[in-house]
Every structure is written in structure tokens, then in C-alpha cells.
Amino acid sequence: MADPGDHSLPFFLGAGIIALMGILSKHAYRPVRRFKQKIKFDFGNRVLWHYGDGIELRREGASESEFRYALKDIAPQYDRYSSEDLVKGEIKGTDFQFYEVELQKKQETDTKGHRRTSYKTVFRGHVLSIHLNRQYQGYIRIKADSLGNRLFPDKDLIRLESPEFEKLFDVYADDQISSRTILTPSFMERLTELAQSPTLTSGRKLNRPAFRATIKNDYINLMIKTRGNRFDIKDDGKQVHLKTYAMAIQEEMKAIIHCIEGLKLEQT
């Protein structure tokens, strides 16, 4: 028989009931979640078809190997990678792909002999890869300008002829000569305008460029910091808000088209 002064039994009963309610709620919500996912991709693709027949929204994002191949040298160090909502296709004759990414770093703390592992988000945003329509076999890294880079420059750091561009970025290239066939004055001007564009300012710190980038295998890959999941479809428990979702897609496509138009190079 339980001690009348012992409150542990009601506590454990209450905890069990709360856990059971959580499990039942999760199972009850599963059909709703499946419905929202179906609406998300069916309706999302209908919106995207207005921008081109070949543009498609896919549930999965880019693989970690693909991400690392394109961006590992400018991405922050991380231990856990996740990606979803890949949009790819062609706009105005230019191939592109766009996907959401979250990078997390493992943290371990020791409190009174108890080790606790947690994960801190070090990057959340989008990756946009745009075909440059120009043959280039080198590798270029474009990072935000920093005092540390100026005091301790990497051997691959290159100096360019654009003071406005160099106020924003530090550029590293494996071939200083061939990199200038891409980093022309007009291309640096386009990147400078894009880096300060209000279209890409979500999540940006004051006086910092809106993205970091690499140029590799004829593609420029932009890492754009943003807040939240832009392709989530919202609901209020009674209905899904398709108008809000459509507007979110339109905002993302506006940013993509803005980048493509700003960075497209002449065919050579």
C-alpha cells in the first residue's frame, strides 16, 4: 500500500497518461501530416509550373556528399546535416537547383559527472546552384571579408580590382590567372549588387553580405542564410493556408530569378 504522504504514484500515473496522450495525438495527427505533405507537393508544383514546365519541387533535398563536394570549404564545421525541399529546373535557359539545409554542431557538457550531448544549429538556410553558361575548370571560394583573413591571409587569397567587392568578400582561387576570366569587373559588380540586395536580406547581419559562395565546374553555389522552413505549409487546425504557401513559393522564386538574372554570363 502506498504511503498517503508519498506523491510518487500519482506523479507516475500522470506522467504515463500524458505520454499516452502524446502517442495517441501523434498517431491521430499522422493522416493530417500525410495530407499536408500531399497538398504541399501537389499544390507547390502547380505554382512552380507557372515559372517553367521543367521546374519541380521534390521532398528530398541534396545528399550530404553533393553538398560537401560543392561547399565544404566555405561551410561552417558541423556534425549533423539535413536537407529537404529540392527545387530544380531551368529558367531563361539557365539550369539551377535550390534546396534547404540545416547544419548542426555537437556540443557536450559535463554537469556533476553527467555528460549531456546536444546539437547547436550553425547554419540554416538555402543553397542555390546556378549554371554560369561559361566553361571554367578551376575552383573559387568567396567568403565574407574579415579582419582575420587580412591579418593572416591564406596563400590562395587573391587581390582584385574592385574596392567595393573587396569590402564585402575575401576570394580564394586555385588558379589566380584563370579565376580572373570569371571574376571580371562586370561579374564582381553583379555579385556586389546581389550581396546587398533586399531580396536576400533575411537572416543577414548588418553590413554583412547576404551569402557566401563557391564557383566550381561551371556552377556558382550560393549559401544564403534564412530563418525557418520557407516551404512549410501552414494550417490553423481547420484548414491549410494555400494562399500563404503560394506567396512563400513566389518569394523564393523571386529570389532565384533575381540571382539568375544578376549572375548570368554571356555564352562563350
Side-chain angles (χ1 to χ4, degrees), residues 107-125:
Q107 297 179 317
E108 292 191 355
T109 55
D110 193 335
T111 305
K112 297 181 180 179
H114 297 286
R115 295 191 65 81
R116 179 174 175 269
T117 301
S118 60
Y119 288 86
K120 178 184 178 182
T121 296
V122 291
F123 177 83
R124 177 183 287 125

Side-chain angles (χ1 to χ4, degrees), residues 197-233:
S197 169
T199 309
L200 302 179
T201 54
S202 176
R204 180 166 67 99
K205 293 181 179 179
L206 189 64
N207 298 323
R208 301 286 284 176
F211 59 82
R212 63 192 80 171
T214 64
I215 299 174
K216 191 172 187 178
N217 289 348
D218 307 338
Y219 278 83
I220 183 167
N221 309 287
L222 309 179
M223 285 186 70
I224 307 167
K225 186 177 180 181
T226 56
R227 295 187 181 96
N229 187 331
R230 299 296 189 87
F231 286 96
D232 261 358
I233 186 165

Side-chain angles (χ1 to χ4, degrees), residues 98 100 126 226 230-231 247-257:
F98 179 80
E100 294 180 353
H126 294 107
T226 56
R230 299 296 189 87
F231 286 96
M247 289 174 64
I249 293 175
Q250 289 167 355
E251 284 300 307
E252 296 301 344
M253 291 305 298
K254 178 181 176 183
I256 291 170
I257 293 169

Side-chain angles (χ1 to χ4, degrees), residues 12 170 194 200 208:
F12 283 115
D170 292 320
L194 195 61
L200 302 179
R208 301 286 284 176

